[in-house]
Amino acid sequence: MTRLAALSTLLLAATVLPAAAQVSDGKVKIGILNDQSGVYADFGGRWSFEAAKMAVEDFGGKVLDAPIEVVTADHQNKPDVASNIARQWYDTEQVDSIMELTTSSVALAVQGLSKEKKKVTITTGAATVELTGKQCSPYGFHWAYDTHALAVGTGGALVKQGGDTWFFLTADYAFGYSLEEQTSNFVKANGGQVLGSVRHPLSTTDYSSFLLQAQSSGAKVIGMANAGLDTANAVKQAAEFGIVQGGQRLAALLFTLAEVHGLGLEAAQGLSLTEGFYWDRDDESRAFSQKFFDRTQRMPNMIQAGTYSAVTQYLKAIQKAGTDETEAVSKALHEMPVEDVFARGGKVGANGRMIYDMYLMEVKTPAESTKPWDYYKVLATVPGSEAYIDPAKSGCPLVAAQ
């Protein structure tokens, strides 16, 4: 009778075993790794950390009855610094997943390390298509945008609207070259011409000689294949030269609401750009963005809203899988549709690329803006199927192996 009672007790314990037992270390820990002090500090920065915390709070603070923790660090745009932080997080601090990863070289380095460690990465802040191309990972996901989507949105769509001659102002490193090349391809594919380009050092402060070359080219569109403060400073100095007033159009190939706000409408007016999220799109996006504003005093851009989405989807995947084990969570992330305030009708391709619609925007004039943060008018919607590379053509060996 005693043995029977003992067996009954064991069976009962098994049936009431808490779901947290399916979670490693009894908690889910997410790391937000990005630039918080350099040229991209406003692009994602500590605001992405706030978005991640907001996602956890909205999820209820727990998944499978286990608490959720979010940590953050500044990678200083250095792949070696980022890799060291990621290794420490994985080896000694029980971090389960790393997200955001602004700067392509950083994202590639951390995704590569995470592949070795069998950890999930979800990149929202970096642009390179290599993350879901030749250097794809079974545990790597690319969420908010990439260079292909920016090139299609700003390059292809602007040509269709009459901007058929281009001159590029390009940051002199791999990201800038890639963005210029991909946008040039879409300009030409849509019947446009590239009249030339000039390259500038990263983080330069004087764009006068480069802008004068662009202005004298006579191109209808000056495409800025740079990002962050580089783009902001170039746009500011272009306003001083009266380039837009002279009839040429500025196209920022990677620019977001945060940088427009920093510049102000007087300098940024007329600028064309592509984003995957706009706070004033509809009632749902306005409600979410107001909540974000209440805690940060700013409206979210696509990086910050994308981080909110990525964290939420990761937690949903853990819930669906019934565990935080990497293989099971990655499988769930590939299978689940993405339907939230950030992405409508989104889906994850076999290469890890999340496919959803992008928007070609034009920055309003001060006279057109009727309220705070009322900065954009939507010129065109770019369907996700056009914005992103078909996974089968991405060069990802995981797709080829299927």
Side-chain angles (χ1 to χ4, degrees):
M1 191 69 180
T2 305
R3 290 177 64 186
L4 183 59
L7 181 60
S8 298
T9 302
L10 285 172
L11 288 170
L12 180 63
T15 59
V16 297
L17 191 67
Q22 300 300 311
V23 172
S24 58
D25 309 304
K27 64 183 174 184
V28 171
K29 195 169 182 179
I30 299 166
I32 302 299
L33 185 57
N34 60 13
D35 175 14
Q36 299 178 15
S37 58
V39 68
Y40 303 129
D42 266 358
F43 185 70
R46 60 194 178 99
W47 317 114
S48 288
F49 179 47
E50 288 298 324
K53 291 192 294 182
M54 186 171 154
V56 169
E57 291 166 15
D58 288 351
F59 202 81
K62 289 185 176 183
V63 61
L64 300 180
D65 290 334
I68 306 161
E69 183 180 350
V70 185
V71 295
T72 192
D74 181 358
H75 60 46
Q76 303 169 46
N77 295 312
K78 298 175 181 177
D80 57 336
V81 171
S83 295
N84 288 337
I85 292 169
R87 193 178 299 277
Q88 180 179 331
W89 275 357
Y90 289 149
D91 292 349
T92 66
E93 298 184 28
Q94 294 82 49
V95 168
D96 299 294
S97 174
I98 296 177
M99 303 187 195
E100 221 269 37
L101 296 170
T102 297
T103 310
S104 292
S105 56
V106 163
L108 288 168
V110 173
Q111 180 171 282
L113 172 65
S114 302
K115 182 178 178 181
E116 292 173 22
K117 298 284 187 180
K118 287 197 171 182
K119 299 285 189 178
V120 169
T121 56
I122 306 182
T123 299
T124 58
T128 179
V129 294
E130 287 299 297
L131 287 163
T132 51
K134 293 178 182 178
Q135 298 189 52
C136 66
S137 162
Y139 320 120
F141 300 86
H142 201 177
W143 217 251
Y145 72 102
D146 61 27
T147 50
H148 187 275
L150 299 176
V152 173
T154 310
L158 271 183
V159 173
K160 292 175 183 176
Q161 295 188 358
D164 55 6
T165 55
W166 285 63
F167 187 95
F168 287 93
L169 190 67
T170 304
D172 194 9
Y173 69 114
F175 158 73
Y177 311 152
S178 174
L179 199 48
E180 178 188 331
E181 179 184 11
Q182 291 191 49
T183 307
S184 295
N185 290 341
F186 281 101
V187 167
K188 294 171 185 174
N190 284 278
Q193 288 181 280
V194 176
L195 303 184
S197 67
V198 63
R199 292 174 174 174
H200 68 80
L202 179 66
S203 301
T204 192
T205 55
D206 184 2
Y207 292 85
S208 55
S209 64
F210 310 119
L211 287 167
L212 285 171
Q213 289 182 61
Q215 190 174 36
S216 64
S217 73
K220 293 179 183 176
V221 180
I222 299 172
M224 288 175 287
N226 47 24
L229 287 176
D230 281 340
T231 308
N233 288 331
V235 171
K236 190 182 299 181
Q237 291 175 39
E240 293 168 4
F241 280 102
I243 286 177
V244 173
Q245 291 85 342
Q248 289 174 295
R249 195 167 192 170
L250 295 179
L253 298 176
L254 178 49
F255 211 56
T256 75
L257 191 76
E259 290 80 49
V260 171
H261 181 71
L263 265 180
L265 290 183
E266 193 63 47
Q269 61 183 304
L271 192 67
S272 298
L273 54 91
T274 298
E275 281 213 61
F277 175 84
Y278 183 42
W279 73 269
D280 204 16
R281 179 177 59 194
D282 55 31
D283 288 343
E284 187 182 3
S285 63
R286 282 187 283 273
F288 162 77
S289 299
Q290 185 60 51
K291 191 173 179 181
F292 183 85
F293 181 88
D294 289 343
R295 67 191 291 154
T296 64
Q297 301 306 299
R298 60 175 52 215
M299 291 298 185
N301 63 8
M302 68 175 170
I303 314 305
Q304 293 137 14
T307 300
Y308 177 93
S309 172
V311 171
T312 301
Q313 193 75 356
Y314 176 67
L315 297 174
K316 287 180 180 178
I318 292 174
Q319 195 169 56
K320 181 180 190 302
T323 175
D324 69 344
E325 190 273 325
T326 297
E327 298 278 0
V329 172
S330 296
K331 183 174 183 292
L333 282 167
H334 277 286
E335 293 173 347
M336 294 164 55
V338 184
E339 193 66 46
D340 57 27
V341 69
F342 176 71
R344 309 289 164 73
K347 61 181 181 179
V348 176
N351 60 346
R353 174 66 253 177
M354 200 272 280
I355 299 166
Y356 75 114
D357 294 348
M358 301 289 286
Y359 305 96
L360 175 66
M361 313 283 200
E362 183 175 283
V363 178
K364 291 181 175 182
T365 66
E368 291 172 323
S369 180
T370 60
K371 57 189 174 183
W373 295 88
D374 176 26
Y375 296 158
Y376 292 164
K377 48 188 173 186
V378 179
L379 299 182
T381 298
V382 184
S385 58
E386 295 178 19
Y388 295 102
I389 299 171
D390 181 341
K393 299 177 181 177
S394 66
C396 172
L398 297 173
V399 182
Q402 292 184 350

